[in-house]
Short mmCIF file of all heavy atoms in Angstrom, two decimals:
data_model
loop_
_atom_site.label_atom_id
_atom_site.label_comp_id
_atom_site.label_asym_id
_atom_site.label_seq_id
_atom_site.Cartn_x
_atom_site.Cartn_y
_atom_site.Cartn_z
N SER W 186 -142.67 141.73 -143.57
CA SER W 186 -144.01 141.82 -142.98
C SER W 186 -143.95 142.35 -141.54
O SER W 186 -144.85 143.09 -141.10
CB SER W 186 -144.71 140.46 -143.00
OG SER W 186 -144.02 139.51 -142.22
N SER W 187 -142.89 142.04 -140.83
CA SER W 187 -142.72 142.57 -139.47
C SER W 187 -142.59 144.08 -139.49
O SER W 187 -143.16 144.79 -138.65
CB SER W 187 -141.50 141.94 -138.80
OG SER W 187 -141.64 140.55 -138.66
N MET W 188 -141.82 144.60 -140.46
CA MET W 188 -141.67 146.05 -140.59
C MET W 188 -142.97 146.71 -141.03
O MET W 188 -143.34 147.78 -140.53
CB MET W 188 -140.54 146.36 -141.58
CG MET W 188 -139.15 146.00 -141.09
SD MET W 188 -137.89 146.24 -142.38
CE MET W 188 -137.95 148.04 -142.56
N GLN W 189 -143.65 146.08 -141.99
CA GLN W 189 -144.91 146.65 -142.47
C GLN W 189 -145.93 146.77 -141.34
O GLN W 189 -146.58 147.81 -141.19
CB GLN W 189 -145.47 145.78 -143.60
CG GLN W 189 -144.67 145.88 -144.89
CD GLN W 189 -145.11 144.85 -145.92
OE1 GLN W 189 -145.56 143.76 -145.58
NE2 GLN W 189 -144.97 145.20 -147.20
N THR W 190 -146.04 145.72 -140.54
CA THR W 190 -146.96 145.74 -139.41
C THR W 190 -146.57 146.83 -138.41
O THR W 190 -147.40 147.61 -137.95
CB THR W 190 -146.98 144.38 -138.70
OG1 THR W 190 -147.46 143.40 -139.60
CG2 THR W 190 -147.89 144.42 -137.48
N GLY W 191 -145.28 146.87 -138.08
CA GLY W 191 -144.82 147.84 -137.10
C GLY W 191 -145.05 149.27 -137.53
O GLY W 191 -145.49 150.11 -136.74
N ILE W 192 -144.75 149.57 -138.79
CA ILE W 192 -144.87 150.95 -139.28
C ILE W 192 -146.33 151.35 -139.47
O ILE W 192 -146.77 152.41 -139.00
CB ILE W 192 -144.06 151.12 -140.57
CG1 ILE W 192 -142.57 151.01 -140.27
CG2 ILE W 192 -144.37 152.46 -141.24
CD1 ILE W 192 -141.71 150.80 -141.50
N LEU W 193 -147.11 150.50 -140.16
CA LEU W 193 -148.47 150.89 -140.52
C LEU W 193 -149.45 150.78 -139.35
O LEU W 193 -150.16 151.74 -139.03
CB LEU W 193 -148.95 150.07 -141.71
CG LEU W 193 -148.19 150.37 -143.01
CD1 LEU W 193 -148.60 149.40 -144.11
CD2 LEU W 193 -148.43 151.80 -143.47
N TRP W 194 -149.49 149.61 -138.69
CA TRP W 194 -150.36 149.51 -137.53
C TRP W 194 -149.85 150.39 -136.40
O TRP W 194 -150.65 150.93 -135.61
CB TRP W 194 -150.49 148.07 -137.07
CG TRP W 194 -151.50 147.27 -137.84
CD1 TRP W 194 -151.28 146.14 -138.56
CD2 TRP W 194 -152.89 147.56 -137.98
NE1 TRP W 194 -152.45 145.70 -139.15
CE2 TRP W 194 -153.46 146.55 -138.80
CE3 TRP W 194 -153.73 148.57 -137.50
CZ2 TRP W 194 -154.80 146.52 -139.15
CZ3 TRP W 194 -155.08 148.55 -137.84
CH2 TRP W 194 -155.60 147.54 -138.65
N GLY W 195 -148.53 150.55 -136.32
CA GLY W 195 -147.99 151.46 -135.32
C GLY W 195 -148.48 152.88 -135.52
O GLY W 195 -148.81 153.59 -134.56
N ALA W 196 -148.56 153.32 -136.79
CA ALA W 196 -149.05 154.67 -137.10
C ALA W 196 -150.53 154.82 -136.75
O ALA W 196 -150.95 155.84 -136.19
CB ALA W 196 -148.82 154.98 -138.58
N VAL W 197 -151.32 153.79 -137.08
CA VAL W 197 -152.76 153.84 -136.77
C VAL W 197 -152.97 153.90 -135.26
O VAL W 197 -153.75 154.72 -134.75
CB VAL W 197 -153.49 152.61 -137.37
CG1 VAL W 197 -154.94 152.57 -136.89
CG2 VAL W 197 -153.44 152.65 -138.89
N ASP W 198 -152.27 153.05 -134.53
CA ASP W 198 -152.47 153.00 -133.09
C ASP W 198 -151.90 154.24 -132.39
O ASP W 198 -152.48 154.71 -131.40
CB ASP W 198 -151.82 151.73 -132.51
CG ASP W 198 -152.56 150.47 -132.94
OD1 ASP W 198 -153.69 150.60 -133.45
OD2 ASP W 198 -152.01 149.37 -132.79
N ALA W 199 -150.80 154.78 -132.92
CA ALA W 199 -150.26 156.02 -132.36
C ALA W 199 -151.24 157.17 -132.57
O ALA W 199 -151.44 158.01 -131.67
CB ALA W 199 -148.92 156.35 -133.00
N MET W 200 -151.85 157.21 -133.76
CA MET W 200 -152.85 158.24 -134.04
C MET W 200 -154.04 158.11 -133.08
O MET W 200 -154.52 159.10 -132.52
CB MET W 200 -153.32 158.11 -135.49
CG MET W 200 -154.38 159.11 -135.93
SD MET W 200 -156.08 158.68 -135.50
CE MET W 200 -156.26 157.11 -136.34
N THR W 201 -154.48 156.88 -132.86
CA THR W 201 -155.62 156.64 -131.97
C THR W 201 -155.32 157.14 -130.55
O THR W 201 -156.12 157.86 -129.95
CB THR W 201 -155.95 155.13 -131.92
OG1 THR W 201 -156.27 154.69 -133.24
CG2 THR W 201 -157.12 154.86 -130.99
#
Side-chain angles (χ1 to χ4, degrees):
S186 63
S187 298
M188 291 175 66
Q189 289 171 330
T190 297
I192 292 165
L193 293 173
W194 278 121
V197 173
D198 291 347
M200 179 277 301
T201 301

